[in-house]
Amino acid sequence: MDMISEVIGTIRAGNAYARRIAESGPWGARYPSFAGVGFHIVLSGTGWLISRGGESIALKPGDVVVAPYGSEHGLSHAPSALGALPAASMSGEPPRPGPSDFEFLCGCYRLDGGKVHRFLRALPDVVAISPDYERHPQLRSLTDLLDDDLSETRPGTHATRSALVDLTLVHALRHWQEQSSDEPWPGITDPGVAAALRAIHDAPDSQWTVLRLSEIAGMSRTTFVRRFTDLVGKPPVTYLIDWRLALGARLLRETSAPLAAIARQVGYSTEFAFANAFRREYGTSPGRFRQNMQASASL
């Protein structure tokens, strides 16, 4: 089961943001926790990553910092206590022109009203990655593209920004897997459970039952429910509902499709059934969720 693809699929229910930041002199900033996943890419200069546990990690050009579920962390010119750093400004203003001591890109998906994927939550609070750009030059190319995309607002910026943030996260997580072979990246290795998950993902609108899924997995119903729950962290029906609603949230954000069409596409017989389930999960109606996403994207 390709967990990175699944993770990226779920975070698209939120809005993508990115900006370039330049710092000089004695500088530091504390990034508050948020619901989502974010990253920093060092463009020039040296600095320090300050974790919530107090650890300070040296950063150099090309290093990537990932906050898999938006944990509080800081960046600074020198090792520091996290609480001593001022809160980062989230105004989105472009950096001042001229030379600077430290420049980096920030990108994130904010999942206001949504939930961060459980497999991201299985990772550390914040991770620092030093990619091997000689072996994998794609991340450098993505960094250049994202940096260029941030240089000015052009037609299609909303689409390109989301795509570039997606791809940057994919490559950052791949590098994390490669460099942390001793760390247990969560995955589904049971072929039966993986087959059931693929079936749900490939056809979320199908009228799935536990019996049908257990037959795909090649297990008895009881064994399938137990093994699925142990590996995935939730029962099959709960996972199915969560996946349908995450897909519905993504369609609400990315398309102008009518609510009834989205409901059918994610496996609900009526828009009312979908709206009720969506409200229970996200705490708001599908229509209001779409309005909020559109308003956030226009900021």
Side-chain angles (χ1 to χ4, degrees):
M1 185 67 189
D2 182 357
M3 284 299 149
I4 291 181
S5 293
E6 181 179 342
V7 164
I8 297 300
T10 57
I11 64 174
R12 285 179 181 145
N15 273 319
Y17 299 89
R19 58 183 296 207
R20 181 185 179 124
I21 300 175
E23 302 282 4
S24 292
W27 61 271
R30 173 173 43 85
Y31 293 86
S33 60
F34 69 98
V37 53
F39 62 84
H40 310 290
I41 303 176
V42 181
L43 299 176
S44 64
T46 58
W48 293 82
L49 165 66
I50 315 298
S51 69
R52 191 165 54 182
E55 182 183 9
S56 297
I57 301 172
L59 299 174
K60 62 184 184 302
D63 284 353
V64 181
V65 173
V66 179
Y69 44 94
S71 289
E72 184 181 45
H73 62 281
L75 297 176
S76 178
H77 73 286
S80 170
L82 182 60
L85 297 175
S89 171
M90 310 305 287
S91 64
E93 295 179 1
R96 296 175 181 175
S100 59
D101 297 334
F102 188 78
E103 293 185 88
F104 61 103
L105 300 180
C106 284
C108 73
Y109 261 105
R110 291 187 175 274
L111 299 173
D112 300 327
K115 297 179 180 178
V116 176
H117 197 286
R118 65 178 295 270
F119 293 108
L120 286 175
R121 289 196 171 277
L123 297 179
D125 286 354
V126 62
V127 297
I129 307 163
S130 295
D132 184 344
Y133 288 103
E134 293 297 322
R135 290 181 56 209
H136 306 290
Q138 299 91 341
L139 186 55
R140 190 184 302 280
S141 299
L142 284 170
T143 300
D144 292 341
L145 287 169
L146 181 56
D147 193 19
D148 178 70
D149 191 65
L150 291 169
S151 65
E152 61 177 302
T153 300
R154 289 168 284 203
T157 291
H158 180 60
T160 57
R161 190 71 42 83
S162 297
L164 289 169
V165 171
D166 282 2
L167 289 168
T168 301
L169 282 169
V170 167
H171 283 274
L173 292 172
R174 284 177 180 171
H175 283 288
W176 166 249
Q177 278 187 294
E178 181 177 294
Q179 296 183 8
S180 306
S181 57
D182 57 336
E183 295 285 343
W185 173 266
I188 303 300
T189 57
D190 185 291
V193 173
L197 284 168
R198 280 194 298 272
I200 290 172
H201 289 193
D202 291 344
D205 58 334
S206 183
Q207 297 305 303
W208 295 114
T209 64
V210 173
L211 178 60
R212 283 187 63 197
L213 291 170
S214 66
E215 291 171 347
I216 290 173
M219 305 176 193
S220 71
R221 190 178 185 277
T222 302
T223 299
F224 170 69
V225 171
R226 183 178 68 250
R227 192 169 299 176
F228 189 103
T229 304
D230 288 344
L231 291 175
V232 179
K234 59 184 70 174
V237 172
T238 303
Y239 181 90
L240 172 63
I241 293 171
D242 288 350
W243 180 254
R244 284 172 167 172
L245 294 175
L247 177 57
R250 175 183 166 188
L251 292 171
L252 286 167
R253 184 181 72 85
E254 295 183 347
T255 76
S256 58
L259 183 57
I262 291 176
R264 290 192 299 271
Q265 192 169 341
V266 300
Y268 285 86
S269 57
T270 69
E271 61 182 281
F272 303 105
F274 171 66
N276 287 335
F278 192 92
R279 188 177 291 107
R280 286 194 297 270
E281 178 70 12
Y282 288 91
T284 188
S285 68
R288 180 60 59 85
F289 178 88
R290 171 176 270 168
Q291 292 172 2
N292 291 342
M293 290 296 100
Q294 292 172 343
S296 298
S298 65
L299 294 178

